[in-house]
Structures are given as structure tokens and as C-alpha cells.
């Protein structure tokens, strides 16, 4: 799995969408990146032919994962460092969540624990979820992570995606049974 993840991570730098039409559930992360002084220390983008290949390669060995991936258009992950001297990291997060809400994203979950936060947003198209965006911040760890998943997905599928792609922030995402 680690070898495949490294291959996917390296190859994703070359992934392109098939056309320039907007993808339902897709977030332009340049707005998120503008809130930070330094570039992301973690950048993963999996879309287009690379996402299709991942679904095909997983079909026999991990059919549940393959089915989830087959319904997606894009997976984006960004990790940013929060400087220890940052007086108001929640102000940055508020700007980002305001941006999401202005783009018709609806907050599903806002979980606060100690000084950390976990927010899960959804965007709908017709009567189904067309995208999920996760924002997780733990100023104590001095990191903020953003995960945007465009395509037809159920929130319960986040932990499966996180486990299979080795994205810890998704592995521990709350499910419907946790609420």
C-alpha cells in the first residue's frame, strides 16, 4: 500500500481533469493557500485518469475502496504549518470557512476538543452529496489540514478512504453512527 500511495502521490503532480468545466464539489484551494504565509508542506491531488487507474487497480483486492473511488472526480489534500507565534489561528480558519459557505458549502459537523477543531462541509447537487471538505486544525500541533473530495460520496466512506490512502485526518473522521 505504501508503494502504491507513493506512486499515486508522485504521479498526481501530473494529473489533469479531462476538461476545464467546473467539477461539482470541487474547492479551489488557492483561496485556502492565500491564508497562510508559507506554501503547504503536504500537497496531494488525485484526479482524472489517475483516479480511474486507482479504482481499477483496487477492484479485486479492495472492492469497497474501488467502488468509493470510482464515484469520485478529485481528491485534494493540503497540510499547512501554523507558526507558534500566530496569535489567532482560528481567524485564518474562520476566513476559510466563510469562503466555503459563500460557495454554497454547508457545515455538517463542527467538533471542538481542547484547542483543536474538526469541521466537515458538504455540497449537494440535486439530491445527493457532490463533495465533502474536511478542515482540521490543532494549534497545539501547529498544523492545519484540508481535504476536498469531489464526487458522489457518503460521509461514512471517509474513514475507508483515509485508511486506504494513509491520510490520518480522514481515518478518524466521525461517521453517522458517531453522531
Amino acid at each position: 500500500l505504501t508503494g502504491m500511495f507513493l506512486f499515486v502521490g508522485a504521479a498526481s503532480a501530473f494529473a489533469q481533469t479531462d476538461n476545464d468545466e467546473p467539477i461539482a464539489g470541487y474547492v479551489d484551494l488557492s483561496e485556502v493557500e492565500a491564508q497562510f504565509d508559507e506554501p503547504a508542506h503536504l500537497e496531494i491531488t488525485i484526479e482524472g485518469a489517475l483516479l480511474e487507474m486507482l479504482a481499477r487497480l483496487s477492484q479485486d483486492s479492495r472492492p469497497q475502496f474501488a467502488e468509493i473511488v470510482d464515484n469520485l472526480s478529485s481528491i485534494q489534500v493540503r497540510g499547512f504549518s501554523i507558526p507558534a507565534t500566530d496569535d489567532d489561528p482560528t481567524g485564518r480558519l474562520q476566513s476559510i470557512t466563510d469562503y466555503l459557505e459563500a460557495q454554497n458549502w454547508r457545515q455538517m459537523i463542527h467538533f471542538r476538543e481542547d484547542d483543536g477543531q474538526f469541521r466537515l462541509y458538504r455540497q449537494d447537487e440535486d439530491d445527493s452529496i457532490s463533495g465533502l471538505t474536511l478542515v482540521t486544525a490543532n494549534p497545539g500541533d501547529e498544523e492545519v489540514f484540508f481535504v476536498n473530495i469531489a464526487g458522489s460520496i457518503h460521509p461514512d466512506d471517509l474513514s475507508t478512504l483515509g485508511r486506504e490512502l494513509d491520510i490520518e485526518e480522514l481515518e478518524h473522521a466521525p461517521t453517522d453512527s458517531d453522531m
Side-chain angles (χ1 to χ4, degrees):
L1 175 63
T2 303
M4 183 194 308
F5 183 67
L6 290 175
F7 166 74
V8 168
S12 67
F14 302 103
Q16 299 284 327
T17 56
D18 294 335
N19 56 41
D20 290 334
E21 291 181 29
I23 298 171
Y26 181 86
V27 173
D28 178 0
L29 290 180
S30 65
E31 293 292 327
V32 171
E33 292 165 352
Q35 296 297 317
F36 295 91
D37 302 329
E38 299 289 325
H41 63 76
L42 173 66
E43 292 185 53
I44 300 170
T45 302
I46 307 169
E47 53 193 17
L50 185 60
L51 200 55
E52 292 170 17
M53 182 181 71
L54 182 60
R56 278 194 314 270
L57 290 173
S58 304
Q59 205 163 26
D60 292 333
S61 61
R62 298 174 308 212
Q64 180 187 10
F65 173 69
E67 183 179 343
I68 293 167
V69 170
D70 196 41
N71 290 316
L72 302 180
S73 304
S74 172
I75 302 172
Q76 302 179 89
V77 181
R78 299 293 185 273
F80 296 92
S81 297
I82 301 174
T85 57
D86 192 335
D87 294 333
D88 187 23
T90 56
R92 292 177 197 247
L93 292 180
Q94 190 59 51
S95 296
I96 293 163
T97 58
D98 290 347
Y99 167 74
L100 290 172
E101 290 170 4
Q103 302 299 314
N104 297 318
W105 287 86
R106 294 188 356 222
Q107 183 172 285
M108 292 174 53
I109 300 171
H110 186 183
F111 178 73
R112 296 173 193 91
E113 184 176 46
D114 299 325
D115 61 347
Q117 294 186 44
F118 175 98
R119 296 180 187 209
L120 182 62
Y121 289 84
R122 70 186 268 174
Q123 192 173 67
D124 299 328
E125 184 176 61
D126 300 321
D127 290 330
S128 64
I129 295 175
S130 61
L132 292 171
T133 297
L134 166 73
V135 180
T136 180
N138 190 347
D141 291 341
E142 300 176 359
E143 290 185 309
V144 176
F145 288 93
F146 298 89
V147 179
N148 172 243
I149 301 167
S152 179
I153 187 165
H154 191 277
D156 285 345
D157 295 334
L158 288 176
S159 61
T160 300
L161 277 177
R163 187 175 52 256
E164 295 293 336
L165 295 174
D166 196 23
I167 302 171
E168 184 177 344
E169 290 70 29
L170 288 180
E171 285 183 58
H172 305 295
T175 63
D176 280 347
S177 61
D178 295 331
M179 294 184 256

